[in-house]
């Protein structure tokens, strides 16, 4: 058929095709396809792929592609990396996307690191750590052997594990504070070893003392003020401990007036929040107002004790297991079996190790000591992070 005749025929057929309804158009296309040979079918396949299977990651501006990628879950992102080299290149260059998925897992994000490959690697390590927590493969155990009698108390600070009871200290103040079974708190001169003051008011053994700078302001304290917290079976007392050693109690906190409900000997204070576990659950107070911010109810709060409380995770334990709780959902992320240890009522025979990871894993703080407790054979049982998680 000559070119001019073909062009006239094609124009006539096209005009007629436009007058058909959708069903008639589909039937016309089906008939033409049935009459086509290999060359026509190949041409049709190539054309349809361009029209219907457009590579939006290749065609869209990077800003729009990154915006769409932020809506995908991490597993889908990893699958998309396998589609082709171009997709892998685009996805691996989107820093915000990988920072976002790391943040969702509770990892700390350093905004100064604008390297997408770095954050993708961090995510893969985070995912592995979370899977190991779930599968009871994140930790390992060890023992310290050498005591010839029962270890009654443990103390851990700055990487040093010691066998002492209810103390804290501050080098700047040159002060050490200690809780006692005589219901008192003693303040000592750290360098001289002399007792400077005895704080009274507790009606039970003082099982925990914490010396910490305040990070918030209220009617009774300012940021930078040194604060002493002391806890017994029923109450937490707040003392302003600065250069003036003689001080009066600022506030007394409790969870109930019912003496059958007691605090557990696990107290935590970071300058902003006070956290303590009790027979009713884990309580969190705002230090600026002393108001209760949060109560985490647990299935068996009388037996499940708090070890340490962070911004993202909490470390808990009972007679059989060590638990990691995701504080955003209050769900248990993982657990680790514990041996038959001595669970002291004073809370002095067990402790948490390095706790910075509870504020969010950062790829480097999931190492070292997690938990330690004394054992009936006079040894000390350790739970440690496995290396190269």
């Amino acid at each position: 058929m000559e070119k001019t005749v073909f062009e006239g025929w094609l124009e006539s057929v096209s005009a007629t095709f436009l007058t058909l309804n959708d069903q008639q158009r589909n039937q016309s296309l089906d008939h033409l396809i049935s009459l086509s040979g290999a060359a026509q079918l190949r041409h049709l396949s190539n054309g349809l792929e361009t029209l219907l299977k457009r590579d939006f990651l290749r065609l869209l501006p990077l800003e729009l592609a990154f915006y769409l990628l932020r809506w995908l879950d991490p597993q889908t992102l990893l699958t998309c990396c396998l589609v082709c080299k171009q997709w892998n290149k685009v996805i691996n260059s989107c820093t915000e996307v990988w920072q976002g998925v790391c943040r969702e897992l509770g990892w700390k994000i350093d905004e100064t690191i604008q390297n997408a490959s770095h954050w993708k690697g961090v995510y893969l390590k985070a995912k592995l750590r979370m899977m190991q927590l779930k599968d009871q493969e994140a930790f390992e155990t060890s023992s310290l052997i050498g005591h010839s009698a029962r270890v009654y108390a443990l103390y851990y600070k700055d990487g040093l594990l010691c066998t002492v009871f209810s103390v804290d200290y501050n080098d700047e103040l040159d002060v050490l504070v200690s809780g006692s079974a005589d219901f008192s708190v003693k303040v000592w001169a750290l360098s001289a070893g002399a007792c400077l003051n005895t704080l009274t008011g507790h009606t039970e053994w003082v099982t925990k003392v914490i010396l910490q700078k305040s990070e918030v302001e209220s009617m009774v304290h300012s940021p930078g003020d040194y604060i002493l917290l002391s806890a017994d079976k029923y109450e937490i007392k707040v003392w302003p401990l600065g250069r003036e050693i003689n001080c009066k109690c600022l506030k007394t906190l409790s969870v109930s007036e019912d003496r059958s409900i007691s605090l557990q000997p696990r107290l935590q204070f970071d300058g902003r929040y006070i956290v303590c576990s009790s027979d009713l659950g884990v309580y969190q107070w705002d230090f600026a107002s002393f108001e209760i911010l949060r109560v985490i109810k647990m299935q068996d709060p009388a037996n499940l004790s708090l070890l340490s409380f962070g911004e993202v995770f909490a470390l808990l334990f009972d007679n059989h297991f060590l638990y990691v709780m995701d504080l955003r959902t209050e769900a248990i992320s993982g657990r680790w079996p514990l041996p038959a240890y001595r669970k002291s009522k004073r809370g002095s025979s067990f402790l948490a190790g390095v706790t910075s990871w509870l504020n969010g894993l950062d790829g480097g703080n999931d190492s070292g000591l997690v938990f330690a407790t004394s054992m009936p054979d006079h040894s000390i049982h350790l739970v440690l992070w496995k290396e190269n998680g």
Side-chain angles (χ1 to χ4, degrees):
M1 184 181 291
E2 294 182 1
K3 181 178 180 181
T4 55
V5 176
F6 171 73
E7 290 176 349
W9 173 82
L10 183 61
E11 184 176 350
S12 174
V13 170
S14 299
T16 303
F17 184 80
L18 293 175
T19 65
L20 304 177
N21 58 36
D22 287 340
Q23 184 177 1
Q24 292 169 336
R25 291 183 182 185
N26 292 341
Q27 290 177 351
S28 300
L29 291 173
D30 289 340
H31 184 67
L32 288 174
I33 291 172
S34 67
L35 299 176
S36 299
Q40 290 76 49
L41 292 175
R42 188 179 304 108
H43 175 76
L44 183 62
S45 176
N46 293 335
L48 286 175
E49 184 173 4
T50 303
L51 291 172
L52 302 180
K53 299 180 180 180
R54 295 185 178 182
D55 188 345
F56 70 91
L57 282 184
R58 187 189 300 270
L59 298 175
L60 286 176
L62 278 178
E63 292 81 0
L64 289 178
F66 289 167
Y67 175 77
L68 292 175
L69 289 172
R70 284 202 293 268
W71 293 91
L72 300 180
D73 63 88
Q75 188 57 50
T76 302
L77 283 172
L78 292 175
T79 302
C80 290
C81 287
L82 302 176
V83 172
C84 63
K85 289 183 178 180
Q86 179 64 23
W87 279 39
N88 186 54
K89 181 179 179 181
V90 172
I91 295 171
N92 283 344
S93 63
C94 186
T95 302
E96 291 184 4
V97 167
W98 292 109
Q99 283 181 337
V101 297
C102 289
R103 192 177 287 110
E104 289 176 5
L105 280 181
W107 285 61
K108 288 183 176 179
I109 302 300
D110 184 351
E111 300 291 350
T112 63
I113 302 177
Q114 293 296 310
N115 185 326
S117 297
H118 167 81
W119 292 115
K120 180 183 177 183
V122 168
Y123 166 75
L124 292 173
K125 182 176 181 180
K127 190 68 176 178
L128 177 59
R129 266 304 190 209
M130 299 304 291
M131 290 177 60
Q132 288 176 336
L133 284 172
K134 182 179 179 180
D135 298 337
Q136 299 185 25
E137 296 178 352
F139 304 137
E140 59 186 3
T141 59
S142 181
S143 296
L144 301 178
I145 301 173
H147 287 284
S148 58
R150 178 180 173 183
V151 176
Y152 282 87
L154 299 174
Y155 181 70
Y156 182 83
K157 189 169 184 177
D158 300 329
L160 178 65
L161 180 63
C162 309
T163 55
V164 297
F165 175 61
S166 189
V167 302
D168 203 358
Y169 66 91
N170 181 270
D171 289 320
E172 181 180 347
L173 291 178
D174 189 32
V175 160
L176 181 142
V177 292
S178 61
S180 174
D182 64 4
F183 310 161
S184 72
V185 177
K186 290 190 179 293
V187 183
W188 307 81
L190 189 59
S191 57
C195 182
L196 302 175
N197 196 10
T198 299
L199 307 179
T200 60
H202 285 282
T203 58
E204 294 285 340
W205 288 10
V206 180
T207 56
K208 185 69 175 178
V209 290
I210 297 177
L211 186 55
Q212 173 71 36
K213 273 186 178 181
S214 170
E215 295 186 8
V216 294
E217 186 166 3
S218 76
M219 296 292 292
V220 293
H221 57 75
S222 301
D225 289 349
Y226 280 98
I227 302 296
L228 168 63
L229 264 62
S230 57
D232 62 29
K233 189 176 181 180
Y234 302 111
E235 297 177 336
I236 301 168
K237 290 187 178 293
V238 181
W239 312 82
L241 192 66
R243 297 295 177 182
E244 287 291 332
I245 300 303
N246 296 315
C247 58
K248 294 183 179 180
C249 180
L250 291 177
K251 187 73 175 179
T252 299
L253 305 174
S254 63
V255 299
S256 174
E257 295 182 359
D258 185 350
R259 286 281 168 159
S260 66
I261 297 173
S262 62
L263 298 175
Q264 296 176 0
R266 309 308 304 168
L267 178 65
Q268 186 172 323
F269 176 50
D270 63 0
R272 296 174 298 158
Y273 306 106
I274 300 170
V275 180
C276 190
S277 56
S278 74
D279 291 344
L280 298 177
V282 177
Y283 279 70
Q284 182 182 35
W285 289 269
D286 176 38
F287 187 57
S289 63
F290 297 114
E291 296 291 332
I292 295 175
L293 296 178
R294 185 177 189 181
V295 180
I296 300 177
K297 300 289 187 179
M298 297 173 289
Q299 290 184 347
D300 191 9
N303 291 316
L304 190 62
S305 301
L306 174 71
L307 268 172
S308 195
F309 193 93
E311 297 174 3
V312 180
F313 302 108
L315 197 58
L316 308 147
F317 72 115
D318 59 19
N319 292 327
H320 306 289
F321 290 96
L322 184 68
Y323 301 92
V324 177
M325 174 184 283
D326 189 327
L327 292 173
R328 296 163 297 182
T329 61
E330 297 185 8
I332 299 299
S333 299
R335 67 179 189 176
W336 182 259
L338 296 175
Y341 63 96
R342 294 183 182 273
K343 191 173 182 181
S344 165
K345 293 182 179 180
R346 297 184 303 275
S348 58
S349 62
F350 48 83
L351 51 75
V354 179
T355 57
S356 58
W357 64 275
L358 296 175
N359 293 325
L361 296 158
D362 61 11
N365 58 7
D366 52 340
S367 62
L369 181 66
V370 179
F371 173 78
T373 184
S374 61
M375 299 295 294
D377 64 358
H378 315 319
S379 67
I380 300 173
H381 180 80
L382 307 179
V383 177
L384 307 157
W385 282 105
K386 282 186 179 178
E387 293 185 2
N388 303 320

